Amino acid sequence: MAGRTDTKTRILDAAEKLFAERGFSETSLRLITSKAEVNLASVNYHFGSKKELIRAVLARYLDVFMPTAATEIKRLHLAPEHASLNEIFSALIKPLLDLNKVRNGGTIIFLQLLGRGYIESQGHLRWFITTHYGQHLSTFVQAVSASAPHIPPAEMFWRLHFTLGTIVFTMASADALNEIAASDYGEHNNTEAIIRKVIPYMAAGVAVPVTSNE
Amino acid sequence: MAGRTDTKTRILDAAEKLFAERGFSETSLRLITSKAEVNLASVNYHFGSKKELIRAVLARYLDVFMPTAATEIKRLHLAPEHASLNEIFSALIKPLLDLNKVRNGGTIIFLQLLGRGYIESQGHLRWFITTHYGQHLSTFVQAVSASAPHIPPAEMFWRLHFTLGTIVFTMASADALNEIAASDYGEHNNTEAIIRKVIPYMAAGVAVPVTSNE
DNA sequence: TCTTAATTAAAACACCTGTTTAAATTAATC
DNA sequence: GATTAATTTAAACAGGTGTTTTAATTAAGA
């Protein structure tokens, strides 16, 4: 290995921030490399293509988040009583907030990347995540299902995606919403506060009894 | 007026479909005009710019949806008893499904456009909607607040945006989710079925008591 | 019908995109 | 210290973008 050994890291750091706040296709390699203060061609040299850079950015977070999240969920399973939905969702708070230790603003960056990826990539990210982290994912789904046994699997499938939409859309607009909330209600929430607001909302929605609509 | 009088309409029809399924920045004017079978320059001639075309596409739906939605909400207010959250949200079903009469697949196109707009436009759409349709919007917010008086205004602000995220993200991924649901659970849902699934979820989340998290 | 205005059409414009090339430079190995 | 490999650099490439221009065509008004 040679050269300033952190060129790859500089690119990843600059890219994830820009991707999170403006989206993948709205972020050019020239913008990334100028913010990272590296040469344009270094992206293709180190990552091969922009698409693979996007994958690398996401993987750097998923590789940290997924295992620790799954561990937390399994820890809940060991408890004598079944955990409540609120507890299960809350078990994700620590893994999420730990991403702030990995990098400044890591939590919200990760959630924003997730949202951008789901919406922009037309299913590619969904496929990538389920094939690479399917084990961890089903641990989570099983825990939720066990905690809300009155919800049939197909209905649970939809509700968990509602949940994903709730958190991901919220985080994508978090900055804008926070500004409005601050000026209209004098509130000032950080990422953790927003997560703690959204969990009861999601838990209630996931568990609400299925009714044949009037 | 002269020429094939429906050039503007042809552009709008082609644009909204492409915008909804691939996003605004991923859709080029050349793709739009080729699908619409009109000349490239006609977009700038009739709309001035791509940005104004986007606005026109959204306005064509909002101008139909917003008034009828507000009318439905007001009708609920006239009832002797306060409407439940489920009833309020359900009051939006008819205005939404009526968009299918305006154009084939109008309902899902509108919701997808809304989601794309909120996420891609970095607050521009939010500003546009609140300034142009603020009256209708606050009618809705008031109805919801009256139906869940135990939720403080600031909390309600957040929960209604959670709700927006839920529906909008769901619709943006509706096609992909439907495919998975069909292959994994043998389900086949149309737009209305998904809307009817999501309403109880949202209503439960909006109304859940506020708790100081453990 | 003739004239004027509105619309359509083809081409070019200026700029931005991701990627590749080939030379210069830096680091590692013998 | 010489040689080899890894990395960085500047430049060019090929293609796509929204927009503008200029001329041809079509419709409308006198």
Side-chain angles (χ1 to χ4, degrees):
Chain A
M1 204 181 301
R4 197 176 42 187
T5 169
D6 52 345
T7 297
K8 278 182 79 166
T9 308
R10 296 177 67 86
I11 294 173
L12 287 169
D13 289 347
E16 67 170 34
K17 210 172 164 191
L18 292 166
F19 283 155
E21 60 193 25
R22 356 166 90 241
F24 300 113
S25 66
E26 299 274 18
T27 304
S28 70
L29 294 184
R30 281 168 180 81
L31 181 58
I32 293 171
T33 52
S34 75
K35 291 269 179 192
E37 295 179 301
V38 300
N39 188 272
L40 168 63
S42 58
V43 171
N44 290 279
Y45 176 77
H46 284 288
F47 297 94
S49 68
K50 185 181 180 181
K51 199 165 264 177
E52 288 174 77
L53 170 63
I54 294 174
R55 268 201 281 272
V57 164
L58 280 164
R60 199 162 62 141
Y61 277 102
L62 288 168
D63 287 345
V64 174
F65 174 75
M66 284 293 185
T68 66
T71 304
E72 289 293 321
I73 301 298
K74 280 179 192 146
R75 219 166 49 78
L76 278 182
H77 260 307
L78 296 180
E81 311 292 332
H82 264 315
S84 73
L85 273 184
N86 253 301
E87 288 171 320
I88 294 176
F89 284 136
S90 296
L92 297 181
I93 293 182
K94 189 174 140 43
L96 278 175
L97 293 180
D98 279 353
L99 298 177
N100 278 329
K101 296 177 188 163
V102 180
R103 254 174 308 285
N104 262 7
T107 302
I108 196 167
I109 288 176
F110 170 60
L111 289 171
Q112 289 178 346
L113 288 173
L114 212 59
R116 302 275 186 194
Y118 261 83
I119 289 173
E120 273 194 46
S121 75
Q122 280 173 322
H124 294 6
L125 177 63
R126 182 176 286 108
W127 178 87
F128 177 78
I129 290 183
T130 47
T131 54
H132 283 71
Y133 307 93
Q135 202 72 15
H136 299 136
L137 234 56
S138 65
T139 300
F140 178 74
V141 173
Q142 278 169 30
V144 172
S145 300
S147 178
H150 56 294
I151 309 295
E155 189 72 24
M156 184 56 85
F157 164 83
W158 283 100
R159 291 191 177 181
L160 285 179
H161 276 93
F162 297 162
T163 295
L164 183 64
T166 308
I167 184 87
V168 137
F169 181 92
T170 298
M171 288 306 162
S173 344
D175 296 340
L177 294 179
N178 242 332
E179 260 182 49
I180 302 173
S183 80
D184 286 13
Y185 306 101
E187 274 199 17
H188 190 59
N189 299 283
N190 55 17
T191 305
E192 178 172 358
I194 299 177
I195 293 177
R196 291 197 182 278
K197 271 187 195 303
V198 80
I199 285 181
Y201 174 96
M202 301 188 305
V206 169
V208 72
V210 181
T211 58
S212 53
N213 238 294
E214 39 76 55
Chain B
M1 206 179 301
R4 197 177 42 187
T5 168
D6 53 344
T7 297
K8 278 182 79 164
T9 307
R10 294 177 68 86
I11 294 173
L12 288 169
D13 289 347
E16 68 170 32
K17 211 173 164 191
L18 292 166
F19 283 155
E21 60 193 24
R22 354 164 95 240
F24 300 113
S25 66
E26 300 273 17
T27 304
S28 71
L29 294 184
R30 280 167 181 80
L31 182 58
I32 293 172
T33 52
S34 76
K35 290 269 179 192
E37 294 179 300
V38 301
N39 188 272
L40 168 62
S42 58
V43 170
N44 290 278
Y45 176 78
H46 284 288
F47 297 95
S49 68
K50 185 181 180 180
K51 199 164 265 178
E52 289 174 76
L53 170 63
I54 295 175
R55 267 201 282 272
V57 164
L58 281 164
R60 199 162 62 142
Y61 276 102
L62 288 169
D63 287 344
V64 173
F65 174 75
M66 283 294 184
T68 66
T71 303
E72 288 293 320
I73 302 299
K74 280 179 193 145
R75 218 166 51 78
L76 278 183
H77 260 308
L78 295 181
E81 310 292 330
H82 263 317
S84 74
L85 273 183
N86 253 300
E87 287 171 321
I88 294 176
F89 285 136
S90 296
L92 297 180
I93 294 182
K94 191 176 139 44
L96 277 176
L97 293 181
D98 279 354
L99 298 176
N100 278 329
K101 296 177 189 163
V102 179
R103 252 174 308 285
N104 261 8
T107 302
I108 197 167
I109 288 177
F110 170 60
L111 289 171
Q112 289 178 346
L113 289 173
L114 212 59
R116 301 276 186 195
Y118 260 83
I119 289 173
E120 274 193 45
S121 76
Q122 280 173 323
H124 294 5
L125 177 63
R126 181 176 285 109
W127 177 87
F128 178 79
I129 289 182
T130 48
T131 55
H132 284 71
Y133 307 93
Q135 203 71 14
H136 299 136
L137 234 56
S138 64
T139 301
F140 178 73
V141 174
Q142 278 169 29
V144 172
S145 300
S147 178
H150 57 294
I151 309 297
E155 190 72 26
M156 186 56 87
F157 164 82
W158 283 100
R159 292 190 176 182
L160 285 179
H161 276 94
F162 297 161
T163 294
L164 183 64
T166 309
I167 184 90
V168 138
F169 180 91
T170 298
M171 289 305 162
S173 344
D175 296 341
L177 293 179
N178 241 332
E179 260 182 49
I180 303 173
S183 79
D184 285 13
Y185 306 101
E187 275 199 17
H188 190 58
N189 299 282
N190 55 19
T191 305
E192 177 171 358
I194 298 177
I195 294 177
R196 292 197 182 278
K197 272 187 196 303
V198 81
I199 285 180
Y201 175 95
M202 301 188 305
V206 168
V208 72
V210 181
T211 59
S212 53
N213 238 294
E214 36 77 59

